[in-house]
Amino acid sequence: MENLLIIAAAFATAVLLGRIIIPNILLVSFRKRLFDVPDARKIHHSLVPRLGGVSFFPVVLFCVCLFIALRLLWGGDAEGLFPGRMTTELLLFASGLTLLYIIGVADDLVGVRYRKKFLVQLLAALMLPLSGLYINHFYGLFGIGLISPFIGIPLTLLLVVFITNAINLIDGIDGLASGLSMVALAVFGGLFIYDGLWVYALVSFVTIGVLIPFFSYNVFGKAERGRKIFMGDTGSLMLGYLLSLLTVKYCMFTGDALMEVAGSPVLVAFSVLLVPSLDVVRVVLRRVRNRTNPFLPDKTHIHHKFLAMGCTPRMAMVGILLMSACFCGLNLCLAERMNNTLLFVMDILVWTGLNMWFDVRIKKRQKDKAGAE
């Protein structure tokens, strides 16, 4: 119960700090004219500050450190809070997050070439295996069990970079990246509480706390009144890296016992991030097929499809969040009732079918529009 109270207090503190810091970021951005300038690829048409993500890392770091210290001062069991190598895991994760924070701020202020960002992402990803965290078990998914470190470590590096970029690339309309992240963080936070990994649950809910005031300004703020803000690369890189840490931590087999959750932890973690992950795979495969640079931005992401179908940005955001929640909820319910490999394949087939249906609706709308003209 004490741990739950600490998590609740940390969550409330993160909400309060975010609510205090973001208006000040807006003030500095307007005074220094630090805006996200509209162009042909972007949805917005007004000058909007893009430094909202600058608040994420400091608030999360402050709240996590403060409330862990308070829990220890109030008689918390250090070994119970930090079992095994968890202290090393969190310290090295903070080191990697610092690197991404620096490169994210630089990119939001002056721009950074994607090769340099990729190199920093890879260096940050190395922090997880260095701490002993890597994908080492598939729990029977595809008939695979334990994995050799020679396969698991490169797979983990690929996964961390992939998830980090998935969140970064899907940040195209108001509330989408932060909303998807909050859904994923809530699920991970609940699972970590269930498994007794209180510190990771604390990190999850503190991050939700700082995202709530940002989400309010990002979705409901009025640009013409100077109350709207974007998270920028600083925020999306931080969220992607944090979600990759939670994914790897949840999936890692410790050798004691399988986690008490229905189905494969790998499938559960995939379910939480299914929409941004499969969207990136689809977009990259499409670019490769069309012989274009897979790293250059375009307007082919899932939110662009919703907009092309005639949805407003708000409707597109709500629709994609509901889609993500449905995938996650159904997978959690069905994981103990059917073969996990079959369920994984069904997820991909349903996702593919939905995208084909979206394409049909887009073509019909374009045809109707051309006929009306």
Side-chain angles (χ1 to χ4, degrees):
M1 179 58 71
E2 291 83 358
N3 290 331
L4 288 175
L5 291 175
I6 286 290
I7 290 174
F11 168 81
T13 303
V15 173
L16 178 62
L17 288 175
R19 184 63 184 83
I20 293 171
I21 293 173
I22 288 178
N24 286 282
I25 292 176
L26 281 167
L27 181 62
V28 171
S29 297
F30 277 100
R31 285 183 175 177
K32 300 298 182 180
R33 302 193 62 78
L34 304 172
F35 303 118
D36 187 40
V37 180
D39 58 32
R41 189 179 60 86
K42 295 175 181 176
I43 308 299
H44 65 286
H45 303 289
S46 305
L47 294 175
V48 179
R50 57 177 299 178
L51 294 176
V54 169
S55 65
F56 297 174
F57 178 43
V59 170
V60 171
L61 186 65
F62 173 79
C63 290
V64 169
C65 292
L66 173 65
F67 282 92
I68 287 176
L70 292 176
R71 182 71 184 98
L72 293 173
L73 287 172
W74 292 340
D77 178 17
E79 184 58 33
L81 286 174
F82 299 100
R85 300 182 56 174
M86 190 178 292
T87 304
T88 305
E89 295 168 7
L90 292 172
L91 288 173
L92 286 171
F93 166 71
S95 300
L97 199 54
T98 302
L99 292 176
L100 289 178
Y101 184 77
I102 293 170
I103 200 71
V105 171
D107 192 36
D108 289 334
L109 291 177
V110 298
V112 177
R113 297 179 68 87
Y114 69 85
R115 290 187 180 88
K116 292 182 179 179
K117 285 197 291 185
F118 178 78
L119 182 62
V120 174
Q121 289 171 17
L122 185 59
L123 185 59
L126 283 169
M127 299 296 151
L128 270 63
L130 186 61
S131 71
L133 280 177
Y134 67 94
I135 302 294
N136 63 348
H137 209 300
F138 266 50
Y139 303 87
L141 191 66
F142 305 115
I144 302 173
L146 283 170
I147 301 174
S148 165
F150 296 104
I151 298 175
I153 291 176
L155 178 63
T156 301
L157 297 179
L158 177 64
L159 181 70
V160 173
V161 173
F162 174 77
I163 294 175
T164 302
N165 282 284
I167 301 299
N168 181 245
L169 292 172
I170 208 166
D171 182 29
I173 57 176
D174 296 341
L176 185 54
S178 55
L180 287 172
S181 296
M182 284 193 284
V183 171
L185 288 164
V187 174
F188 275 128
L191 292 171
F192 283 127
I193 288 176
Y194 184 78
D195 290 325
L197 296 174
W198 297 101
V199 173
Y200 280 97
L202 175 66
V203 172
S204 301
F205 285 108
V206 163
T207 308
I208 294 175
V210 76
L211 284 176
I212 288 175
F214 167 80
F215 186 87
S216 175
Y217 277 89
N218 180 232
V219 176
F220 303 108
K222 302 295 183 182
E224 58 272 16
R225 297 180 181 177
R227 306 297 290 174
K228 192 176 193 65
I229 195 167
F230 297 149
M231 70 170 65
D233 277 11
T234 310
S236 59
L237 290 175
M238 181 264 183
L239 290 177
Y241 188 57
L242 175 60
L243 288 170
S244 67
L245 166 75
L246 300 179
T247 299
V248 175
K249 179 62 180 179
Y250 183 72
C251 291
M252 188 170 181
F253 178 57
T254 61
D256 299 327
L258 294 178
M259 288 190 178
E260 297 180 23
V261 63
S264 165
V266 176
L267 176 67
V268 173
F270 169 78
S271 304
V272 171
L273 298 168
L274 184 144
V275 169
S277 298
L278 289 186
D279 186 58
V280 168
V281 171
R282 179 188 59 81
V283 169
V284 169
L285 289 178
R286 183 181 182 278
R287 293 172 183 172
V288 171
R289 184 186 64 193
N290 294 336
R291 297 181 180 180
T292 58
N293 191 329
F295 297 101
L296 293 181
D298 57 20
K299 300 183 74 172
T300 59
H301 287 282
I302 185 68
H303 50 276
H304 293 121
K305 288 194 174 189
F306 271 77
L307 296 175
M309 287 189 291
C311 296
T312 63
R314 184 78 54 82
M315 291 169 57
M317 182 266 292
V318 172
I320 296 170
L321 291 185
L322 288 174
M323 187 192 309
S324 178
C326 287
F327 269 116
C328 188
L330 287 172
N331 279 5
L332 287 172
C333 291
L334 295 174
E336 66 176 346
R337 295 176 173 85
M338 63 185 298
N339 180 275
N340 283 188
T341 303
L342 177 60
L343 184 56
F344 182 88
V345 173
M346 286 177 58
D347 285 336
I348 296 176
L349 291 176
V350 170
W351 172 261
T352 304
L354 283 172
N355 275 274
M356 292 174 66
W357 181 57
F358 295 156
D359 291 338
V360 170
R361 289 195 59 184
I362 291 170
K363 289 179 181 179
K364 184 178 183 302
R365 184 171 184 268
Q366 291 173 342
K367 185 177 179 180
D368 292 344
K369 192 175 180 180
E373 294 175 352

